[in-house]
Amino acid sequence: MNTPSDTGLQAKLAEHAYRIRRFALRMGEVQGQGYVGQALGYADVLAVAYCHAMQLRPDDPQWEGRDRFLLSHGHYAIAFYAALIEAGIIPEDELDTYGSDDSRLPMSGMATYTPGMEISGGSLGQGLPIAVGMALGLRLKGNPAFVYNSMSDGELDEGSTWEAAMGAAHHGLGNLICLVDINNQQADGPSSKVMGFEPLADKWASFGWHVQRVDGNDLSAVIAAFDTARALTEAKPRVILFDTLMGKGVPFLEAREKNHFIRVDPPEWQQALDILDHAQGAAR
Amino acid sequence: MSTAATKKPRLTTSAMIASIASEGQRTIAAPFGKALVTLAEQRPEIVGLTADLAKYTDLHLFGQAFPERFFQMGMAEQLLMAAAGGMAKEGFMPFATTYAVFGTRRAFDFVHQVIAEENLNVKLCCALPGLTTGYGPSHQAAEDLALVRAIPGMTVIDPCDALDIEQAVPAIAAHNGPVYMRLLRGNVPLLLDEYDYKFELGKAKLLRGGNDVLLISSGIMTMRSLEVANALAADQVDVAVLHVPTIKPLDTATILAEASRSGRLVVVAENHTTVGGLGEAVATALLTAGVSPQFRQIALPDAFLDAGALPTLHDRYGISTDAMTQTIKTWLA
Ligand SMILES: Cc1ncc(C[n+]2csc(CCOP(=O)(O)OP(=O)(O)O)c2C)c(N)n1
Ligand SMILES: [Mg+2]
């Protein structure tokens, strides 16, 4: 049962998630194509991370006390920039430059280009090992911040992910939270066909992690999972496995044949925005 | 309110897979995939392996034709290379595909130790070589040739166009030992059919003669060099183009013979950093033989390259046809 304050929080985060989806679609329109399905699917997780769970100062993205968020799956930059805009870290009018020459918002996320981007992801499978080092460093400095490593299900294929999983547990990194977007999609097709990774929760648990697996498009479940991961006192790393639906919120994109990189026809961008606006209007 | 219509014109944009064809150029779709399928019909020992990039390396055609000989290794490049080595040890001839950055940088020790050290018969075919994507350093393999050249016994191929690839596939299969081939995928330019040209492993080929400048190039830079030669002909500058599709072992004899002809400016043009690629290989060969023409290098800078649209970046780093033409004019002035 939701308490009234839970309902209020959920409504607030639904509004943030709606705006993140909108920003991502507008960036997609600049390029006419892109990782839009992923952005729509992951928007709820990003909304909870950036507008509820994380400690940050929008006007000082390098603030020493900030929670670190590592975008290991650099191609999700379109989703991430949308969250940075929503969090007030980058100005909204910059989204028109997405993926364009000399923009601060390149198609693949890079630390050297964008305020609030902690690492250059994109060579997939590097985020979690970096997160292990940052978590060790924070602990050594006595800094209580969390390190969030955000990754895709394709990155579960890389050996480096499991090297880091073992290392994080070995070092008892209670300040490390790993977020995995399980959208069952990779470059060559559904993840389950490319390289099966189930039973996934059991794998992480056997590596010594605290594991939660939730519907990544159910806001109340996502909020609860973040809250639980943060509140735990055990000295072990935490992973949240989010099952998400690519294209979430835009039925014709949800229904479209699943693809890593999608083209959207020019009139469809506006149709998609209209659908989001209509649904959010009704929810309000 | 629609966004695009009401706002300022779009800046040039960058997608992962950008075309390297010049405007109006003839292209052939998936020459690598097609050539491999044709060859594999005669050679049952050929197997195909990829790391979640079959569709992006044209290996999906092989997978469709020979599903039982196609192995999806997931996005795990170290597994890809080591497993290819393992299959080679059991007598198969693996063609392993991924992007050049991941086949070299991510999996380097596996290529070096598992494949090369035992001289295993693995063909690494790696897409997005050099600067052929605007995605920034994570996807730009500006130093792939330097890395694989440094591996003993590795044969290194940098084909120019669809014809080169089509002929290189059977040629590298006929060679027993590890090969790294830079892969052009998707709609690949076709131009070498207009020349009296045939791919031969280990051979450099003079595509056109000329008395003022000798352009030595490999890969897509040969396409550019031929365009530069046409552009400079209009200014009465006579440019020869020597195509070097095999980077290692280098056809030193042909290179020395051409570079020894006195009075020509020798320019090496490569889609690679100035460090460790064709330019340095040619320079070493020339100096070692005591041949010292006026020598220049057109190559990517020794720097982490920008993200952006491919044409913008090729201009910025001096490897577009226009930029090359201007640079050579300056050198001749
Ligand atoms: C180390 C590495 N190998 C290969 C690639 C090429 N690549 C880019 S995205 C991708 C698919 C990976 O799966 P996932 O991130 O789950 O895909 P999505 O859900 O975005 O479709 C691949 C193979 C890469 N970027 N990095
Ligand atoms: Mg995925």
Side-chain angles (χ1 to χ4, degrees), chain B residues 90-123:
Chain B
E90 295 299 334
F92 292 95
M93 189 197 297
F95 277 70
T97 75
T98 177
Y99 287 156
V101 279
F102 309 125
T104 58
R105 303 199 307 235
R106 176 63 62 97
F108 191 73
D109 194 37
F110 294 73
V111 172
H112 188 283
Q113 278 311 110
V114 177
I115 295 172
E117 205 255 345
E118 286 191 49
N119 197 42
L120 296 178
N121 202 14
V122 177
K123 317 303 172 188

PDB file of all heavy atoms in Angstrom, chain B residues 90-123:
ATOM      1  N   GLU B  90      42.183 -26.700 -33.535  1.00  0.00           N
ATOM      2  CA  GLU B  90      41.475 -27.929 -33.912  1.00  0.00           C
ATOM      3  C   GLU B  90      41.316 -28.052 -35.425  1.00  0.00           C
ATOM      4  O   GLU B  90      40.522 -28.855 -35.913  1.00  0.00           O
ATOM      5  CB  GLU B  90      40.108 -27.980 -33.218  1.00  0.00           C
ATOM      6  CG  GLU B  90      40.185 -28.093 -31.691  1.00  0.00           C
ATOM      7  CD  GLU B  90      40.905 -29.367 -31.220  1.00  0.00           C
ATOM      8  OE1 GLU B  90      40.916 -30.360 -31.967  1.00  0.00           O
ATOM      9  OE2 GLU B  90      41.481 -29.340 -30.106  1.00  0.00           O
ATOM     10  N   GLY B  91      42.023 -27.226 -36.175  1.00  0.00           N
ATOM     11  CA  GLY B  91      42.071 -27.409 -37.624  1.00  0.00           C
ATOM     12  C   GLY B  91      41.142 -26.533 -38.443  1.00  0.00           C
ATOM     13  O   GLY B  91      41.097 -26.642 -39.665  1.00  0.00           O
ATOM     14  N   PHE B  92      40.407 -25.642 -37.773  1.00  0.00           N
ATOM     15  CA  PHE B  92      39.504 -24.767 -38.528  1.00  0.00           C
ATOM     16  C   PHE B  92      40.211 -23.468 -38.914  1.00  0.00           C
ATOM     17  O   PHE B  92      41.283 -23.139 -38.380  1.00  0.00           O
ATOM     18  CB  PHE B  92      38.245 -24.476 -37.707  1.00  0.00           C
ATOM     19  CG  PHE B  92      37.393 -25.708 -37.526  1.00  0.00           C
ATOM     20  CD1 PHE B  92      37.525 -26.503 -36.384  1.00  0.00           C
ATOM     21  CD2 PHE B  92      36.488 -26.090 -38.513  1.00  0.00           C
ATOM     22  CE1 PHE B  92      36.762 -27.650 -36.230  1.00  0.00           C
ATOM     23  CE2 PHE B  92      35.719 -27.233 -38.354  1.00  0.00           C
ATOM     24  CZ  PHE B  92      35.853 -28.018 -37.216  1.00  0.00           C
ATOM     25  N   MET B  93      39.592 -22.735 -39.857  1.00  0.00           N
ATOM     26  CA  MET B  93      40.116 -21.428 -40.235  1.00  0.00           C
ATOM     27  C   MET B  93      39.093 -20.363 -39.841  1.00  0.00           C
ATOM     28  O   MET B  93      38.178 -20.046 -40.602  1.00  0.00           O
ATOM     29  CB  MET B  93      40.378 -21.353 -41.742  1.00  0.00           C
ATOM     30  CG  MET B  93      41.126 -20.076 -42.133  1.00  0.00           C
ATOM     31  SD  MET B  93      41.014 -19.708 -43.889  1.00  0.00           S
ATOM     32  CE  MET B  93      41.840 -21.125 -44.584  1.00  0.00           C
ATOM     33  N   PRO B  94      39.249 -19.813 -38.630  1.00  0.00           N
ATOM     34  CA  PRO B  94      38.270 -18.839 -38.161  1.00  0.00           C
ATOM     35  C   PRO B  94      38.471 -17.466 -38.792  1.00  0.00           C
ATOM     36  O   PRO B  94      39.595 -16.976 -38.893  1.00  0.00           O
ATOM     37  CB  PRO B  94      38.533 -18.761 -36.650  1.00  0.00           C
ATOM     38  CG  PRO B  94      39.393 -19.942 -36.328  1.00  0.00           C
ATOM     39  CD  PRO B  94      40.182 -20.218 -37.571  1.00  0.00           C
ATOM     40  N   PHE B  95      37.362 -16.871 -39.220  1.00  0.00           N
ATOM     41  CA  PHE B  95      37.308 -15.449 -39.542  1.00  0.00           C
ATOM     42  C   PHE B  95      36.600 -14.792 -38.360  1.00  0.00           C
ATOM     43  O   PHE B  95      35.430 -15.092 -38.099  1.00  0.00           O
ATOM     44  CB  PHE B  95      36.535 -15.203 -40.844  1.00  0.00           C
ATOM     45  CG  PHE B  95      37.378 -15.394 -42.080  1.00  0.00           C
ATOM     46  CD1 PHE B  95      37.806 -16.661 -42.465  1.00  0.00           C
ATOM     47  CD2 PHE B  95      37.750 -14.299 -42.862  1.00  0.00           C
ATOM     48  CE1 PHE B  95      38.596 -16.834 -43.602  1.00  0.00           C
ATOM     49  CE2 PHE B  95      38.532 -14.461 -43.997  1.00  0.00           C
ATOM     50  CZ  PHE B  95      38.959 -15.734 -44.373  1.00  0.00           C
ATOM     51  N   ALA B  96      37.320 -13.956 -37.638  1.00  0.00           N
ATOM     52  CA  ALA B  96      36.775 -13.339 -36.427  1.00  0.00           C
ATOM     53  C   ALA B  96      36.546 -11.856 -36.690  1.00  0.00           C
ATOM     54  O   ALA B  96      37.458 -11.162 -37.125  1.00  0.00           O
ATOM     55  CB  ALA B  96      37.743 -13.522 -35.262  1.00  0.00           C
ATOM     56  N   THR B  97      35.314 -11.391 -36.419  1.00  0.00           N
ATOM     57  CA  THR B  97      35.021  -9.990 -36.735  1.00  0.00           C
ATOM     58  C   THR B  97      34.574  -9.202 -35.505  1.00  0.00           C
ATOM     59  O   THR B  97      33.869  -9.702 -34.631  1.00  0.00           O
ATOM     60  CB  THR B  97      33.914  -9.840 -37.810  1.00  0.00           C
ATOM     61  OG1 THR B  97      32.632 -10.127 -37.225  1.00  0.00           O
ATOM     62  CG2 THR B  97      34.156 -10.745 -39.003  1.00  0.00           C
ATOM     63  N   THR B  98      34.997  -7.954 -35.470  1.00  0.00           N
ATOM     64  CA  THR B  98      34.535  -6.976 -34.487  1.00  0.00           C
ATOM     65  C   THR B  98      34.954  -5.619 -35.041  1.00  0.00           C
ATOM     66  O   THR B  98      35.321  -5.522 -36.211  1.00  0.00           O
ATOM     67  CB  THR B  98      35.128  -7.263 -33.078  1.00  0.00           C
ATOM     68  OG1 THR B  98      34.706  -6.236 -32.167  1.00  0.00           O
ATOM     69  CG2 THR B  98      36.650  -7.296 -33.079  1.00  0.00           C
ATOM     70  N   TYR B  99      34.874  -4.573 -34.217  1.00  0.00           N
ATOM     71  CA  TYR B  99      35.427  -3.290 -34.645  1.00  0.00           C
ATOM     72  C   TYR B  99      36.936  -3.295 -34.370  1.00  0.00           C
ATOM     73  O   TYR B  99      37.420  -3.977 -33.451  1.00  0.00           O
ATOM     74  CB  TYR B  99      34.776  -2.132 -33.884  1.00  0.00           C
ATOM     75  CG  TYR B  99      33.354  -1.829 -34.304  1.00  0.00           C
ATOM     76  CD1 TYR B  99      32.480  -1.185 -33.438  1.00  0.00           C
ATOM     77  CD2 TYR B  99      32.883  -2.173 -35.578  1.00  0.00           C
ATOM     78  CE1 TYR B  99      31.178  -0.892 -33.810  1.00  0.00           C
ATOM     79  CE2 TYR B  99      31.581  -1.888 -35.960  1.00  0.00           C
ATOM     80  CZ  TYR B  99      30.731  -1.255 -35.072  1.00  0.00           C
ATOM     81  OH  TYR B  99      29.442  -0.969 -35.438  1.00  0.00           O
ATOM     82  N   ALA B 100      37.646  -2.485 -35.158  1.00  0.00           N
ATOM     83  CA  ALA B 100      39.105  -2.469 -35.071  1.00  0.00           C
ATOM     84  C   ALA B 100      39.600  -2.103 -33.667  1.00  0.00           C
ATOM     85  O   ALA B 100      40.575  -2.678 -33.179  1.00  0.00           O
ATOM     86  CB  ALA B 100      39.679  -1.501 -36.112  1.00  0.00           C
ATOM     87  N   VAL B 101      38.944  -1.167 -33.015  1.00  0.00           N
ATOM     88  CA  VAL B 101      39.393  -0.794 -31.662  1.00  0.00           C
ATOM     89  C   VAL B 101      39.334  -1.980 -30.701  1.00  0.00           C
ATOM     90  O   VAL B 101      40.230  -2.172 -29.879  1.00  0.00           O
ATOM     91  CB  VAL B 101      38.564   0.360 -31.039  1.00  0.00           C
ATOM     92  CG1 VAL B 101      39.024   1.701 -31.536  1.00  0.00           C
ATOM     93  CG2 VAL B 101      37.077   0.173 -31.264  1.00  0.00           C
ATOM     94  N   PHE B 102      38.262  -2.766 -30.828  1.00  0.00           N
ATOM     95  CA  PHE B 102      38.087  -3.844 -29.858  1.00  0.00           C
ATOM     96  C   PHE B 102      38.936  -5.058 -30.220  1.00  0.00           C
ATOM     97  O   PHE B 102      39.427  -5.768 -29.347  1.00  0.00           O
ATOM     98  CB  PHE B 102      36.605  -4.193 -29.734  1.00  0.00           C
ATOM     99  CG  PHE B 102      35.742  -2.977 -29.485  1.00  0.00           C
ATOM    100  CD1 PHE B 102      34.672  -2.667 -30.304  1.00  0.00           C
ATOM    101  CD2 PHE B 102      36.047  -2.104 -28.443  1.00  0.00           C
ATOM    102  CE1 PHE B 102      33.904  -1.528 -30.093  1.00  0.00           C
ATOM    103  CE2 PHE B 102      35.288  -0.955 -28.228  1.00  0.00           C
ATOM    104  CZ  PHE B 102      34.211  -0.665 -29.057  1.00  0.00           C
ATOM    105  N   GLY B 103      39.114  -5.302 -31.521  1.00  0.00           N
ATOM    106  CA  GLY B 103      39.954  -6.415 -31.950  1.00  0.00           C
ATOM    107  C   GLY B 103      41.421  -6.185 -31.611  1.00  0.00           C
ATOM    108  O   GLY B 103      42.180  -7.143 -31.417  1.00  0.00           O
ATOM    109  N   THR B 104      41.820  -4.919 -31.554  1.00  0.00           N
ATOM    110  CA  THR B 104      43.227  -4.634 -31.241  1.00  0.00           C
ATOM    111  C   THR B 104      43.383  -4.255 -29.769  1.00  0.00           C
ATOM    112  O   THR B 104      43.994  -4.967 -28.992  1.00  0.00           O
ATOM    113  CB  THR B 104      43.778  -3.501 -32.131  1.00  0.00           C
ATOM    114  OG1 THR B 104      43.004  -2.319 -31.964  1.00  0.00           O
ATOM    115  CG2 THR B 104      43.747  -3.908 -33.591  1.00  0.00           C
ATOM    116  N   ARG B 105      42.785  -3.129 -29.385  1.00  0.00           N
ATOM    117  CA  ARG B 105      43.053  -2.614 -28.040  1.00  0.00           C
ATOM    118  C   ARG B 105      42.483  -3.507 -26.941  1.00  0.00           C
ATOM    119  O   ARG B 105      43.147  -3.805 -25.954  1.00  0.00           O
ATOM    120  CB  ARG B 105      42.527  -1.184 -27.902  1.00  0.00           C
ATOM    121  CG  ARG B 105      43.119  -0.253 -28.958  1.00  0.00           C
ATOM    122  CD  ARG B 105      43.010   1.222 -28.612  1.00  0.00           C
ATOM    123  NE  ARG B 105      41.693   1.665 -28.282  1.00  0.00           N
ATOM    124  CZ  ARG B 105      41.050   2.681 -28.893  1.00  0.00           C
ATOM    125  NH1 ARG B 105      41.625   3.320 -29.914  1.00  0.00           N
ATOM    126  NH2 ARG B 105      39.870   3.064 -28.506  1.00  0.00           N
ATOM    127  N   ARG B 106      41.224  -3.932 -27.089  1.00  0.00           N
ATOM    128  CA  ARG B 106      40.611  -4.706 -26.009  1.00  0.00           C
ATOM    129  C   ARG B 106      41.212  -6.109 -25.919  1.00  0.00           C
ATOM    130  O   ARG B 106      41.416  -6.645 -24.837  1.00  0.00           O
ATOM    131  CB  ARG B 106      39.096  -4.796 -26.226  1.00  0.00           C
ATOM    132  CG  ARG B 106      38.322  -5.660 -25.232  1.00  0.00           C
ATOM    133  CD  ARG B 106      38.387  -5.140 -23.795  1.00  0.00           C
ATOM    134  NE  ARG B 106      37.808  -3.835 -23.630  1.00  0.00           N
ATOM    135  CZ  ARG B 106      36.571  -3.590 -23.211  1.00  0.00           C
ATOM    136  NH1 ARG B 106      35.767  -4.577 -22.911  1.00  0.00           N
ATOM    137  NH2 ARG B 106      36.140  -2.355 -23.089  1.00  0.00           N
ATOM    138  N   ALA B 107      41.509  -6.699 -27.071  1.00  0.00           N
ATOM    139  CA  ALA B 107      41.861  -8.125 -27.076  1.00  0.00           C
ATOM    140  C   ALA B 107      43.335  -8.358 -27.380  1.00  0.00           C
ATOM    141  O   ALA B 107      43.736  -9.481 -27.692  1.00  0.00           O
ATOM    142  CB  ALA B 107      40.991  -8.848 -28.098  1.00  0.00           C
ATOM    143  N   PHE B 108      44.142  -7.301 -27.247  1.00  0.00           N
ATOM    144  CA  PHE B 108      45.504  -7.372 -27.791  1.00  0.00           C
ATOM    145  C   PHE B 108      46.313  -8.574 -27.303  1.00  0.00           C
ATOM    146  O   PHE B 108      46.914  -9.302 -28.083  1.00  0.00           O
ATOM    147  CB  PHE B 108      46.271  -6.075 -27.471  1.00  0.00           C
ATOM    148  CG  PHE B 108      47.568  -5.965 -28.225  1.00  0.00           C
ATOM    149  CD1 PHE B 108      47.577  -5.697 -29.584  1.00  0.00           C
ATOM    150  CD2 PHE B 108      48.787  -6.155 -27.595  1.00  0.00           C
ATOM    151  CE1 PHE B 108      48.757  -5.607 -30.303  1.00  0.00           C
ATOM    152  CE2 PHE B 108      49.979  -6.074 -28.296  1.00  0.00           C
ATOM    153  CZ  PHE B 108      49.966  -5.792 -29.654  1.00  0.00           C
ATOM    154  N   ASP B 109      46.336  -8.808 -26.018  1.00  0.00           N
ATOM    155  CA  ASP B 109      47.171  -9.901 -25.490  1.00  0.00           C
ATOM    156  C   ASP B 109      46.689 -11.258 -25.980  1.00  0.00           C
ATOM    157  O   ASP B 109      47.477 -12.181 -26.172  1.00  0.00           O
ATOM    158  CB  ASP B 109      47.173  -9.845 -23.961  1.00  0.00           C
ATOM    159  CG  ASP B 109      48.277 -10.711 -23.367  1.00  0.00           C
ATOM    160  OD1 ASP B 109      49.376 -10.769 -23.951  1.00  0.00           O
ATOM    161  OD2 ASP B 109      48.033 -11.352 -22.325  1.00  0.00           O
ATOM    162  N   PHE B 110      45.380 -11.354 -26.192  1.00  0.00           N
ATOM    163  CA  PHE B 110      44.810 -12.613 -26.671  1.00  0.00           C
ATOM    164  C   PHE B 110      45.202 -12.854 -28.128  1.00  0.00           C
ATOM    165  O   PHE B 110      45.459 -13.984 -28.532  1.00  0.00           O
ATOM    166  CB  PHE B 110      43.285 -12.603 -26.479  1.00  0.00           C
ATOM    167  CG  PHE B 110      42.891 -12.580 -25.023  1.00  0.00           C
ATOM    168  CD1 PHE B 110      43.036 -11.430 -24.247  1.00  0.00           C
ATOM    169  CD2 PHE B 110      42.395 -13.717 -24.414  1.00  0.00           C
ATOM    170  CE1 PHE B 110      42.692 -11.417 -22.905  1.00  0.00           C
ATOM    171  CE2 PHE B 110      42.047 -13.714 -23.066  1.00  0.00           C
ATOM    172  CZ  PHE B 110      42.210 -12.563 -22.308  1.00  0.00           C
ATOM    173  N   VAL B 111      45.258 -11.758 -28.890  1.00  0.00           N
ATOM    174  CA  VAL B 111      45.710 -11.872 -30.282  1.00  0.00           C
ATOM    175  C   VAL B 111      47.207 -12.212 -30.290  1.00  0.00           C
ATOM    176  O   VAL B 111      47.658 -13.098 -31.015  1.00  0.00           O
ATOM    177  CB  VAL B 111      45.459 -10.543 -31.035  1.00  0.00           C
ATOM    178  CG1 VAL B 111      46.097 -10.582 -32.425  1.00  0.00           C
ATOM    179  CG2 VAL B 111      43.965 -10.267 -31.144  1.00  0.00           C
ATOM    180  N   HIS B 112      47.944 -11.522 -29.471  1.00  0.00           N
ATOM    181  CA  HIS B 112      49.398 -11.695 -29.424  1.00  0.00           C
ATOM    182  C   HIS B 112      49.784 -13.090 -28.961  1.00  0.00           C
ATOM    183  O   HIS B 112      50.529 -13.818 -29.621  1.00  0.00           O
ATOM    184  CB  HIS B 112      49.964 -10.632 -28.477  1.00  0.00           C
ATOM    185  CG  HIS B 112      51.454 -10.531 -28.439  1.00  0.00           C
ATOM    186  ND1 HIS B 112      52.252 -11.424 -27.757  1.00  0.00           N
ATOM    187  CD2 HIS B 112      52.290  -9.640 -29.003  1.00  0.00           C
ATOM    188  CE1 HIS B 112      53.523 -11.070 -27.901  1.00  0.00           C
ATOM    189  NE2 HIS B 112      53.580  -9.998 -28.655  1.00  0.00           N
ATOM    190  N   GLN B 113      49.246 -13.485 -27.810  1.00  0.00           N
ATOM    191  CA  GLN B 113      49.683 -14.731 -27.177  1.00  0.00           C
ATOM    192  C   GLN B 113      48.992 -15.972 -27.714  1.00  0.00           C
ATOM    193  O   GLN B 113      49.628 -16.968 -28.001  1.00  0.00           O
ATOM    194  CB  GLN B 113      49.474 -14.640 -25.660  1.00  0.00           C
ATOM    195  CG  GLN B 113      50.576 -13.919 -24.944  1.00  0.00           C
ATOM    196  CD  GLN B 113      51.941 -14.432 -25.361  1.00  0.00           C
ATOM    197  OE1 GLN B 113      52.689 -13.731 -26.041  1.00  0.00           O
ATOM    198  NE2 GLN B 113      52.267 -15.661 -24.983  1.00  0.00           N
ATOM    199  N   VAL B 114      47.673 -15.894 -27.820  1.00  0.00           N
ATOM    200  CA  VAL B 114      46.943 -17.093 -28.236  1.00  0.00           C
ATOM    201  C   VAL B 114      47.138 -17.332 -29.735  1.00  0.00           C
ATOM    202  O   VAL B 114      47.458 -18.437 -30.158  1.00  0.00           O
ATOM    203  CB  VAL B 114      45.433 -16.963 -27.925  1.00  0.00           C
ATOM    204  CG1 VAL B 114      44.676 -18.189 -28.433  1.00  0.00           C
ATOM    205  CG2 VAL B 114      45.206 -16.766 -26.436  1.00  0.00           C
ATOM    206  N   ILE B 115      46.949 -16.270 -30.521  1.00  0.00           N
ATOM    207  CA  ILE B 115      46.900 -16.460 -31.974  1.00  0.00           C
ATOM    208  C   ILE B 115      48.288 -16.356 -32.608  1.00  0.00           C
ATOM    209  O   ILE B 115      48.759 -17.271 -33.279  1.00  0.00           O
ATOM    210  CB  ILE B 115      45.928 -15.437 -32.610  1.00  0.00           C
ATOM    211  CG1 ILE B 115      44.504 -15.712 -32.133  1.00  0.00           C
ATOM    212  CG2 ILE B 115      46.020 -15.469 -34.136  1.00  0.00           C
ATOM    213  CD1 ILE B 115      43.475 -14.673 -32.536  1.00  0.00           C
ATOM    214  N   ALA B 116      48.964 -15.239 -32.377  1.00  0.00           N
ATOM    215  CA  ALA B 116      50.188 -14.981 -33.150  1.00  0.00           C
ATOM    216  C   ALA B 116      51.359 -15.837 -32.681  1.00  0.00           C
ATOM    217  O   ALA B 116      52.125 -16.353 -33.491  1.00  0.00           O
ATOM    218  CB  ALA B 116      50.536 -13.499 -33.082  1.00  0.00           C
ATOM    219  N   GLU B 117      51.504 -15.999 -31.387  1.00  0.00           N
ATOM    220  CA  GLU B 117      52.688 -16.682 -30.887  1.00  0.00           C
ATOM    221  C   GLU B 117      52.754 -18.125 -31.395  1.00  0.00           C
ATOM    222  O   GLU B 117      53.829 -18.671 -31.601  1.00  0.00           O
ATOM    223  CB  GLU B 117      52.714 -16.625 -29.359  1.00  0.00           C
ATOM    224  CG  GLU B 117      54.119 -16.737 -28.776  1.00  0.00           C
ATOM    225  CD  GLU B 117      54.401 -18.095 -28.173  1.00  0.00           C
ATOM    226  OE1 GLU B 117      53.433 -18.866 -27.950  1.00  0.00           O
ATOM    227  OE2 GLU B 117      55.578 -18.390 -27.937  1.00  0.00           O
ATOM    228  N   GLU B 118      51.601 -18.735 -31.617  1.00  0.00           N
ATOM    229  CA  GLU B 118      51.586 -20.088 -32.183  1.00  0.00           C
ATOM    230  C   GLU B 118      51.346 -20.078 -33.688  1.00  0.00           C
ATOM    231  O   GLU B 118      51.107 -21.125 -34.283  1.00  0.00           O
ATOM    232  CB  GLU B 118      50.504 -20.939 -31.499  1.00  0.00           C
ATOM    233  CG  GLU B 118      50.864 -21.364 -30.100  1.00  0.00           C
ATOM    234  CD  GLU B 118      49.891 -22.413 -29.575  1.00  0.00           C
ATOM    235  OE1 GLU B 118      49.622 -23.400 -30.284  1.00  0.00           O
ATOM    236  OE2 GLU B 118      49.374 -22.216 -28.464  1.00  0.00           O
ATOM    237  N   ASN B 119      51.369 -18.893 -34.287  1.00  0.00           N
ATOM    238  CA  ASN B 119      51.145 -18.764 -35.735  1.00  0.00           C
ATOM    239  C   ASN B 119      49.848 -19.454 -36.160  1.00  0.00           C
ATOM    240  O   ASN B 119      49.793 -20.160 -37.158  1.00  0.00           O
ATOM    241  CB  ASN B 119      52.338 -19.338 -36.511  1.00  0.00           C
ATOM    242  CG  ASN B 119      52.334 -18.862 -37.962  1.00  0.00           C
ATOM    243  OD1 ASN B 119      52.070 -17.689 -38.228  1.00  0.00           O
ATOM    244  ND2 ASN B 119      52.599 -19.767 -38.898  1.00  0.00           N
ATOM    245  N   LEU B 120      48.784 -19.239 -35.401  1.00  0.00           N
ATOM    246  CA  LEU B 120      47.515 -19.898 -35.705  1.00  0.00           C
ATOM    247  C   LEU B 120      46.825 -19.225 -36.890  1.00  0.00           C
ATOM    248  O   LEU B 120      46.992 -18.029 -37.142  1.00  0.00           O
ATOM    249  CB  LEU B 120      46.610 -19.901 -34.470  1.00  0.00           C
ATOM    250  CG  LEU B 120      47.145 -20.705 -33.277  1.00  0.00           C
ATOM    251  CD1 LEU B 120      46.192 -20.595 -32.088  1.00  0.00           C
ATOM    252  CD2 LEU B 120      47.359 -22.176 -33.654  1.00  0.00           C
ATOM    253  N   ASN B 121      46.026 -20.024 -37.570  1.00  0.00           N
ATOM    254  CA  ASN B 121      45.461 -19.602 -38.850  1.00  0.00           C
ATOM    255  C   ASN B 121      44.146 -18.838 -38.660  1.00  0.00           C
ATOM    256  O   ASN B 121      43.098 -19.244 -39.145  1.00  0.00           O
ATOM    257  CB  ASN B 121      45.247 -20.850 -39.716  1.00  0.00           C
ATOM    258  CG  ASN B 121      45.174 -20.510 -41.184  1.00  0.00           C
ATOM    259  OD1 ASN B 121      45.536 -19.401 -41.598  1.00  0.00           O
ATOM    260  ND2 ASN B 121      44.696 -21.458 -41.984  1.00  0.00           N
ATOM    261  N   VAL B 122      44.216 -17.718 -37.962  1.00  0.00           N
ATOM    262  CA  VAL B 122      43.023 -16.923 -37.671  1.00  0.00           C
ATOM    263  C   VAL B 122      43.058 -15.651 -38.503  1.00  0.00           C
ATOM    264  O   VAL B 122      44.100 -14.996 -38.596  1.00  0.00           O
ATOM    265  CB  VAL B 122      42.954 -16.556 -36.170  1.00  0.00           C
ATOM    266  CG1 VAL B 122      41.735 -15.672 -35.893  1.00  0.00           C
ATOM    267  CG2 VAL B 122      42.902 -17.815 -35.308  1.00  0.00           C
ATOM    268  N   LYS B 123      41.922 -15.309 -39.102  1.00  0.00           N
ATOM    269  CA  LYS B 123      41.822 -14.080 -39.882  1.00  0.00           C
ATOM    270  C   LYS B 123      40.975 -13.080 -39.100  1.00  0.00           C
ATOM    271  O   LYS B 123      39.767 -13.294 -38.890  1.00  0.00           O
ATOM    272  CB  LYS B 123      41.184 -14.348 -41.245  1.00  0.00           C
ATOM    273  CG  LYS B 123      41.693 -15.605 -41.960  1.00  0.00           C
ATOM    274  CD  LYS B 123      43.194 -15.635 -42.183  1.00  0.00           C
ATOM    275  CE  LYS B 123      43.633 -16.994 -42.714  1.00  0.00           C
ATOM    276  NZ  LYS B 123      45.109 -17.145 -42.773  1.00  0.00           N
TER     277      LYS B 123
END
